[in-house]
Amino acid sequence: MDPLLVKALIIIAIFGITLLIATYSTWAERKVAAFIQDRNGPNRAGWGGLLQPIADAGKMFFKEDFIPASANKWLFIFGPSLAMLTALMASAVIPFGDTILVGGQEIQVQAIEVNIGILYVFGVVSLGVYGIMIGGWASNNKFSLLGAVRAASQNISYELAMGLSIIAILLMSGSLSIRAIVEGQHGGNWNILYQPLGFIIFLTCAFAECNRTPFDLPECETELIGGYHTEYSSMKLGFYLFAEYINMFASSAVTACLFLGGFNYPFMDDVRNGLISSLGDVTGHNVATAIGTLVFFAKILFGIFFFMWVRWTLPRFRYDQLMSLGWKALIPLAILNVVLTAAGVLLEMRWLPWLAVIVIVAVAIVQAAMAPKKQLRTQRV
Amino acid sequence: MVQYVFYFLTVLALFSACMVVLSRNPIHSVLYLIVTFFCLSGHYLLLNAQFLAVVNIIVYAGAIMVLFLFVIMFLNLRQDVEPPRSLLWRMAALVAGGLLGLVMVAALKQVSMQSPSKEGFDSQVGLVENLGQVLFRDFLVPFELASVLFLVAMVGAVMLGKRDPGEPTI
């Protein structure tokens, strides 16, 4: 087979799998919510409600597509399109697996390999807010505008801490290419073992960038009706909601690549050698790559599940809490993490960032012990 | 192929740059400016300077323009269209624009249209590794001075944004 054809097939497969996982994330979200709230969840369309996403999509398409009279028509249509476009662009540089051998040539299981991969993801993420801003503004509705403005300031604020937490990773791996970062974590040597603080900061920022609870202030129903998508109906609304699930998939994939080892897993060399000795060079290598890809998808799915778990567990932040968490807590911690990581690289002590975690936990324990005891007030009936 | 991409990007960049000035609606101006930045990033990509292209998008399109849009959305709640300027304004604009044009013509007169020679040209010069080598070896002092300038600007921004004790927060 032609290597170019294989590459095209890989790109189409990545595109299709992204959409499929995002579609079934909506089903999983409702099932997880139902499980956490002790309900059944969707169970009418298909076995276990498995056809529910398709029924939802059908419903979305047949609803009335309404454009408010005083809205800016072109930008109103452009908003959800842009949200969808930027959401789908991120997975282009993610390495979904090692190489496959086709006709004596090694082909990477990745759409494009660029030497600035992580910056590309970062750029696409920073563009993601335009879909929300343009849609919110074009609706000509004050609630939508407030949602748009909130989305803008939230994304800008959390991008800083996210960038700083990525810098710590770059210091350790010495490359901007995501594939190089993943290959640096060969076997069980994952970055999360050396970057606990960076992982927590990155994860928090990923939640904020995806506009997921507890950071879904742009669509906060109790304050803003529906936020930026108040005026949207039919599939335009569907695109906004769907883009959020694609963003969840992409950010889980990036988190897995940066911190959880990507397609690496413990004892992967033993597995690969065993497969090659039993199945031959080419088939063994390809099967080993397939196992790595499966492991990577397992990590992504766990990431998506984690997003849902948090959504149905934690309440929403207040807006000033969100801002002070981003600016006063995450950014200073991220800078501390960068400094410690740089010192660790310089002194060849990779575990040095753990020092920050130990200090923070110790300070928290001391503070809790020193704090005056709360008066327990008995409730009068 | 590359030539067609170049011409397409150039035409689009010039068109959207003109629309930035000509649009009545400030929001449209900002959106055209973002399109212009994307075209410039495309040019950087054609020059094999991927790092510069992506940083241009992250910093300008992703951060600065979002803040522009943010501010203009607040300013622009009531009237969509700017009121026409008075005669004095137009005269001042004409004089300023004319002077700028004069300076540009004078500057462009000296430019030679010779293209640089292909020999000895390293196509990898724009990649991030080489850029880092140049920045941190040959131009270390200017680079550090620029970062000090950024630090001063940040301190200034914090000072401006700081509230007095009596003022209400958010």
Side-chain angles (χ1 to χ4, degrees):
Chain A
M1 243 190 340
D2 190 15
L4 216 62
L5 191 71
V6 177
K7 200 79 181 178
L9 281 179
I10 288 172
I11 292 177
I12 292 171
I14 288 173
F15 187 66
I17 287 172
T18 306
L19 289 178
L20 188 76
I21 288 185
T23 310
Y24 273 91
S25 295
T26 62
W27 171 81
E29 172 110 82
R30 299 163 103 178
K31 277 291 185 193
V32 169
F35 175 71
I36 288 175
Q37 297 169 351
D38 206 7
R39 302 185 272 118
N40 275 331
N43 61 357
R44 295 291 137 171
W47 181 82
L50 268 178
L51 294 178
Q52 190 67 42
I54 294 158
D56 279 342
K59 184 197 77 172
M60 283 288 193
F61 271 116
F62 285 112
K63 280 170 87 170
E64 185 191 354
D65 195 4
F66 185 77
I67 296 180
S70 55
N72 188 326
K73 194 180 166 206
W74 287 108
L75 291 183
F76 191 80
I77 299 171
F78 190 54
S81 324
L82 198 63
M84 198 70 179
L85 177 74
T86 49
L88 282 169
M89 271 165 72
S91 55
V93 293
I94 291 167
F96 283 89
D98 207 2
T99 55
I100 47 174
L101 282 168
V102 179
Q105 271 183 307
E106 285 199 355
I107 298 168
Q108 294 168 339
V109 186
Q110 182 178 11
I112 42 170
E113 161 67 13
V114 284
N115 69 348
I116 44 145
I118 188 64
L119 284 182
Y120 171 87
V121 171
F122 203 62
V124 169
V125 165
S126 65
L127 294 178
V129 69
Y130 279 118
I132 293 176
M133 284 190 84
I134 289 173
W137 180 78
S139 304
N140 200 14
N141 174 329
K142 293 228 164 60
F143 290 110
S144 302
L145 182 70
L146 279 175
V149 163
R150 278 185 173 191
S153 49
Q154 174 179 326
N155 274 41
I156 292 271
S157 308
Y158 278 78
E159 250 167 42
L160 295 173
M162 187 183 230
L164 286 171
S165 67
I166 291 176
I167 284 177
I169 293 287
L170 300 183
L171 280 173
M172 290 182 60
S173 58
S175 174
L176 288 168
S177 149
I178 300 188
R179 178 167 286 271
I181 293 173
V182 169
E183 277 166 359
Q185 310 173 51
H186 194 79
N189 196 18
W190 299 351
N191 275 337
I192 187 175
L193 300 177
Y194 307 105
Q195 289 288 337
L197 191 59
F199 176 68
I200 293 168
I201 292 169
F202 185 86
L203 202 65
T204 316
C205 294
F207 274 79
E209 295 285 325
C210 290
N211 292 325
R212 287 287 294 184
T213 324
F215 300 108
D216 61 344
L217 274 303
E219 48 173 296
C220 175
E221 303 91 0
T222 45
E223 296 166 13
L224 295 181
I225 310 179
Y228 58 92
H229 57 58
T230 304
E231 297 285 353
Y232 280 91
S233 59
S234 183
M235 204 54 200
K236 291 206 195 73
L237 173 70
F239 275 162
Y240 268 131
L241 302 183
F242 201 57
E244 181 181 316
Y245 286 96
I246 300 173
N247 278 331
M248 268 165 65
F249 169 76
S251 56
S252 299
V254 173
T255 316
C257 281
L258 293 184
F259 291 96
L260 300 178
F263 48 77
N264 296 306
Y265 54 96
F267 311 114
M268 59 189 288
D269 287 332
D270 301 337
V271 172
R272 185 167 177 277
N273 290 336
L275 281 169
I276 284 179
S277 61
S278 61
L279 293 172
D281 267 348
V282 176
T283 323
H285 179 83
N286 287 348
V287 170
T289 301
I291 292 175
T293 306
L294 284 181
V295 168
F296 184 52
F297 273 102
K299 287 172 190 171
I300 293 176
L301 292 182
F302 178 75
I304 293 175
F305 168 70
F306 190 74
F307 268 92
M308 293 167 183
W309 189 7
V310 170
R311 173 169 180 180
W312 298 105
T313 309
L314 293 182
R316 185 181 285 140
F317 278 104
R318 224 170 48 215
Y319 199 70
D320 59 325
Q321 290 173 332
L322 170 96
M323 280 295 153
S324 56
L325 176 70
W327 286 96
K328 293 181 185 165
L330 291 183
I331 291 178
L333 282 179
I335 292 176
L336 176 73
N337 191 37
V338 169
V339 171
L340 278 178
T341 311
V345 171
L346 212 60
L347 302 172
E348 295 187 352
M349 292 191 291
R350 295 182 76 188
W351 47 266
L352 208 61
W354 274 102
L355 212 63
V357 177
I358 295 168
V359 169
I360 289 167
V361 171
V363 167
I365 289 173
V366 168
Q367 238 177 10
M370 300 282 279
K373 292 238 166 64
K374 272 184 197 160
Q375 296 274 317
L376 282 177
R377 193 179 289 169
T378 47
Q379 206 172 17
R380 286 185 193 150
V381 183
Chain B
M1 172 66 192
V2 173
Q3 220 167 16
Y4 289 119
V5 175
F6 172 78
Y7 282 123
F8 174 73
L9 285 174
T10 310
V11 169
L12 193 61
L14 287 177
F15 168 75
S16 46
C18 289
M19 288 308 286
V20 174
V21 186
L22 297 177
S23 297
R24 278 288 187 194
N25 190 332
I27 298 266
H28 291 173
S29 289
V30 172
L31 295 178
Y32 278 118
L33 192 55
I34 297 166
V35 175
T36 313
F37 282 132
F38 269 94
C39 294
L40 293 186
S41 279
H43 281 304
Y44 287 140
L45 278 184
L46 287 184
L47 294 170
N48 211 12
Q50 305 160 353
F51 179 72
L52 217 53
V54 174
V55 166
N56 186 38
I57 286 186
I58 292 176
V59 174
Y60 283 97
I64 294 179
M65 294 326 284
V66 171
L67 288 180
F68 262 54
L69 209 56
F70 182 90
V71 172
I72 287 173
M73 276 178 179
F74 266 132
L75 292 181
N76 199 37
L77 280 175
R78 286 292 153 81
Q79 76 264 35
D80 274 345
V81 183
E82 228 181 319
R85 299 291 191 189
S86 68
L87 192 67
L88 192 68
W89 265 99
R90 291 189 202 176
M91 292 301 289
L94 192 71
V95 169
L99 283 176
L100 183 67
L102 196 70
V103 170
M104 284 178 79
V105 167
L108 285 176
K109 239 176 74 178
Q110 303 291 330
V111 174
S112 63
M113 291 298 283
Q114 216 171 9
S115 58
S117 67
K118 286 178 185 169
E119 287 163 33
F121 176 72
D122 182 12
S123 67
Q124 307 297 307
V125 74
L127 296 188
V128 58
E129 290 88 352
N130 300 322
L131 190 68
Q133 296 281 356
V134 172
L135 267 187
F136 287 100
R137 189 183 293 149
D138 303 347
F139 298 102
L140 182 61
V141 176
F143 183 77
E144 293 294 335
L145 285 179
S147 65
V148 170
L149 188 68
F150 271 122
L151 195 65
V152 172
M154 269 164 62
V155 172
V158 171
M159 280 300 293
L160 286 178
K162 212 170 176 189
R163 284 164 212 273
D164 291 330
E167 271 182 283
T169 53
I170 300 191

